[in-house]
Amino acid sequence: MAGTVVVVFDLDKTIIDLDSDNWLVDELGFTDLFNHLLPTMPWNSVMDKMMNEIHAKGKKIEDIEEVLRRTPIHPRIVPAIKSAYALGCELRIVSDANLFYIETILKHHGISECFSEIYSNPGYVDEEGRLRIRPYHDFHSSPHGCNNINVCPPNMCKGKIIEMIEGSLGKEGKKRMIYLGDGAGDFCPSLKLKEGDFMMPRKDFPVWKLITENRMLLKAEIHEWSDGEELERVLLHLINKIICTEEEEESQFLPAAETKFQQTPHEALPKAIPVPF
């Protein structure tokens, strides 16, 4: 039954414990240059420019990979991902990092095969051995057109991506979605979730604050988390909740002799996020 569950993860400050761009820039010693460039262009464009500067100073792609492999990650995140995958959930990533970062980190932790799709800014090594970063939405020629301009950067609207995912899932039958994120950019996709879906915002982070201020706009059930240990506990309980509910619904349509569903005891689910109205 878990095949009906699609779990969508953000990367920065969700799967990993910090922002991957900032981590890389700081670890390679280019913080001052980054801070100088940041006010002059969109973040995504800054990072492409930074890669040119980093390589011009003699850093190789291997140096970048080494830093990414050291990216801090809570010890319960990888087991949580592996458990959700083992239960039959379909896992995807929607991230404003870039594909090169994500694939390097997932491969290092042995969880690449857990994810069926990654939606992120293109990141690739060019013919000269330099990392290049491009926008997911080419905002110069084809803006994403989202109205949530205060939370969606010009290079990526995660809400548009969730709508695309929902459209593809609709062709496969009923699917339930669980979305995990932390940043302001994760607010727009939370508005696209439907009744029966779950939103898991990281407590005291920007998306959590936006949700508490706009609770009536969301249809999904909301369950907060603070760290990797709580993420694992809440996520696996929600998956279990969906499985149990759907098996119970199925059992109502089967003769008693054919009913295979058995309720198993488990720890109570954490309460939904308390929010002011």
Side-chain angles (χ1 to χ4, degrees), residues 1-6 87-89 173-178 195-198 238-254 259-263:
M1 296 302 297
T4 64
V5 183
V6 178
L87 285 168
C89 297
K174 184 179 179 181
K175 296 276 187 176
R176 305 279 292 277
M177 189 177 297
I178 303 173
E195 284 190 36
D197 292 338
F198 297 91
L238 292 180
I239 293 170
N240 183 63
K241 177 180 180 179
I242 295 171
I243 294 171
C244 291
T245 299
E246 294 186 353
E247 287 185 346
E248 189 172 30
E249 290 174 352
E250 268 196 7
S251 70
Q252 295 174 1
F253 297 96
L254 294 174
T259 302
K260 297 182 178 179
F261 171 75
Q262 293 182 340
Q263 183 69 45

Side-chain angles (χ1 to χ4, degrees), residues 30 58 131 138 143-144 159 168 177-178 202 265-267:
F30 289 84
L131 179 60
D138 186 348
H144 55 63
S168 65
M177 189 177 297
I178 303 173
R202 189 167 188 180
H266 60 275
E267 182 183 350

Side-chain angles (χ1 to χ4, degrees), residues 103-143:
E103 290 181 338
T104 301
I105 292 169
L106 297 185
K107 181 179 179 181
H108 175 66
H109 290 284
I111 51 176
S112 297
E113 72 282 355
C114 295
F115 294 92
S116 61
E117 295 284 350
I118 299 173
Y119 306 86
S120 190
N121 299 298
Y124 61 93
V125 181
D126 67 14
E127 62 278 1
E128 297 180 15
R130 298 177 301 177
L131 179 60
R132 303 305 307 272
I133 299 172
R134 294 289 183 256
Y136 182 83
H137 297 290
D138 186 348
F139 50 89
H140 296 296
S141 62
S142 182

Side-chain angles (χ1 to χ4, degrees), residues 47-166:
M47 286 312 301
D48 187 56
K49 175 70 173 176
M50 285 299 304
M51 290 304 124
N52 283 331
E53 297 296 330
I54 287 170
H55 287 297
K57 298 297 183 182
K59 298 296 182 181
K60 307 296 184 184
I61 198 68
E62 291 79 12
D63 298 315
I64 293 172
E65 290 173 327
E66 189 274 332
V67 171
L68 292 173
R69 287 193 291 267
R70 291 191 285 105
T71 304
I73 183 170
H74 190 282
R76 298 313 307 168
I77 293 294
V78 170
I81 289 170
K82 289 183 175 179
S83 295
Y85 178 72
L87 285 168
C89 297
E90 181 182 346
L91 310 185
R92 305 191 184 198
I93 290 176
V94 177
S95 168
D96 195 15
N98 67 76
L99 195 59
F100 184 86
Y101 287 6
I102 296 170
E103 290 181 338
T104 301
I105 292 169
L106 297 185
K107 181 179 179 181
H108 175 66
H109 290 284
I111 51 176
S112 297
E113 72 282 355
C114 295
F115 294 92
S116 61
E117 295 284 350
I118 299 173
Y119 306 86
S120 190
N121 299 298
Y124 61 93
V125 181
D126 67 14
E127 62 278 1
E128 297 180 15
R130 298 177 301 177
L131 179 60
R132 303 305 307 272
I133 299 172
R134 294 289 183 256
Y136 182 83
H137 297 290
D138 186 348
F139 50 89
H140 296 296
S141 62
S142 182
H144 55 63
C146 177
N147 293 324
N148 294 313
I149 57 175
N150 293 326
V151 296
C152 293
N155 62 289
M156 175 172 281
C157 169
K158 293 185 178 182
K160 296 286 186 182
I161 296 173
I162 291 300
E163 286 181 328
M164 179 179 65
I165 294 173
E166 288 175 336

